[in-house]
Amino acid sequence: MSKGRFGMHGGQYIPEILMEAVHELEDAYFTLKDEPEFQADLQNLLNNYAGRPSPLYYAEKMTRDLGGAKIYLKREDLNHTGSHKINNVLGQALLARGMGKRRLIAETGAGQHGVATATAAALMDMECEIFMGAEDMKRQALNVYRMRLLGAKVTAVESGTASLKDAVNYALGEWVRTISDTHYVIGSVVGPHPFPVMVRDFQAVISAETKKQILEAEGRLPDAVLACVGGGSNCIGAFYHFISEPQVRLIGCEGAGKGTDRFDTAATITTGSPGIFHGMKTYFCQDEFGQIAPVYSIAAGLDYPGVGPEHAYLYETKRAEYVAVTDEQAVEAFEYLSVTEGIIPAIESSHAVAYARLLAPRMQKDEIMVVNLSGRGDKDCAAIARYRGEDLVE
Ligand SMILES: *Cc1c(COP(=O)(O)O)cnc(C)c1O
């Protein structure tokens, strides 16, 4: 496959002015990534700072209750900062340091990626600036506080709809203006090459560990691996080392929002079509004129109008399946896992749990399913309470 392409998807659809930055990053990444010292530094941070390897937990009560496949949960929710995002951010921060950069920038919607980037910057003694839509800053005041506490500067983006997509545009521009000392940390498997490949490599630790853990526990590979899909980084991380094992079903769970028959959805593969935006060719939610459509999901982390180009390829080649899960199903799964296993999942991850509840009873008792729990749900409690009609005051 040609450079940075997944079938016809991926690529580098960027203005001339960004080429220099992207090429510099490409050179640095493909040089540094295999150096033993870089790998040793990354492994050390993943193990001793982020808390890896994360457990692969046999959810016995859930398995018994659903009466079908044996269910294992990959516990990315136990990582430092509460999700899989730290895997990628530590990798990119080390890379930036290796490139001689002293400043990290990132954009964030709900604030999770901003907090993870600010964390890595604090750890590595780098400057950090996070761009956030002005509207999002109001909605996510607690995460804005966290980022500032970690030493980051948080800058409001007022252009466009003052949300995530505008913050991405602003961050790309800022990267060009400050390229000599700055690295732009993209938070998912999206954007121009090499980001989709690089972020996938950093998240592939999830499936590398899962494969080893399931072989130890069961002596064989799982029959299905499930994960939620926003941009698709936790999902591709959970899939990666199983892609070449055709007997393993790979299932990505998109945020359907209020339903795929309406406009209030973020189910990109289910409802979208191929297009070009944010430097890549892939599936996007678009209107009839090909403009990027406003998307909606109860899960802020799934609320992105595109999906990583590798997912577009896995979908078109039928190696992976993509299903749409509604807000209501996700909220029910959020409550279900909490009371059944004593684990409060992120509302994003709850989309995968919801589909596991549908699929497990249709599988045999000797079959095995792995569900990637991308994050923990403490951050979501107030919003879910509100969804259920209860206003929490802290
Ligand atoms: C950001 C986030 C996601 C969505 O991002 P992906 O790149 O699709 O993984 C999912 N779960 C959690 C907990 C997140 O914070």
Side-chain angles (χ1 to χ4, degrees), residues 97 101-104 118-128:
R97 198 176 66 182
K101 313 272 173 171
R102 43 162 211 92
R103 176 169 173 262
L104 300 180
T119 300
L123 174 69
M124 297 196 203
D125 211 11
M126 295 171 93
E127 250 180 67
C128 183

Side-chain angles (χ1 to χ4, degrees), residues 1 11-12 37 95 98 101 125 176 188 192 206-207 210-211 213 229 238 246 250 293 304 321 330 356 365 382 390 394:
M1 221 171 303
Q12 293 176 319
E37 198 187 322
L95 175 66
K101 313 272 173 171
D125 211 11
V176 174
S188 191
I206 300 173
S207 51
T210 304
K211 201 168 195 177
Q213 290 165 320
V229 183
L250 305 175
Y304 179 71
E321 305 155 60
K365 281 199 160 75
E390 195 183 331
E394 266 178 293

Side-chain angles (χ1 to χ4, degrees), residues 83-85 112 188 228-234 301-302 346 348-349 374-375:
S83 82
H84 67 293
K85 289 207 167 69
Q112 298 303 111
S188 191
C228 66
V229 183
S233 69
N234 87 89
L302 305 187
E348 291 82 6
S349 322
S374 54

Side-chain angles (χ1 to χ4, degrees), residues 3 11-27 99 101 105 167-180 182-186 191-195 277-280:
K3 193 186 72 177
Q12 293 176 319
Y13 295 87
I14 47 177
E16 200 67 24
I17 189 166
L18 259 176
M19 274 296 177
E20 189 196 337
V22 164
H23 284 159
E24 186 194 41
L25 179 61
E26 229 183 304
D27 289 344
M99 293 171 73
K101 313 272 173 171
I105 59 169
V168 173
N169 292 336
Y170 195 90
L172 282 167
E174 174 70 10
W175 192 28
V176 174
R177 285 188 286 280
T178 57
I179 176 75
S180 60
T182 297
H183 173 66
Y184 177 19
V185 184
I186 289 189
H193 179 70
F195 285 105
F277 188 59
H278 284 162
M280 60 180 165

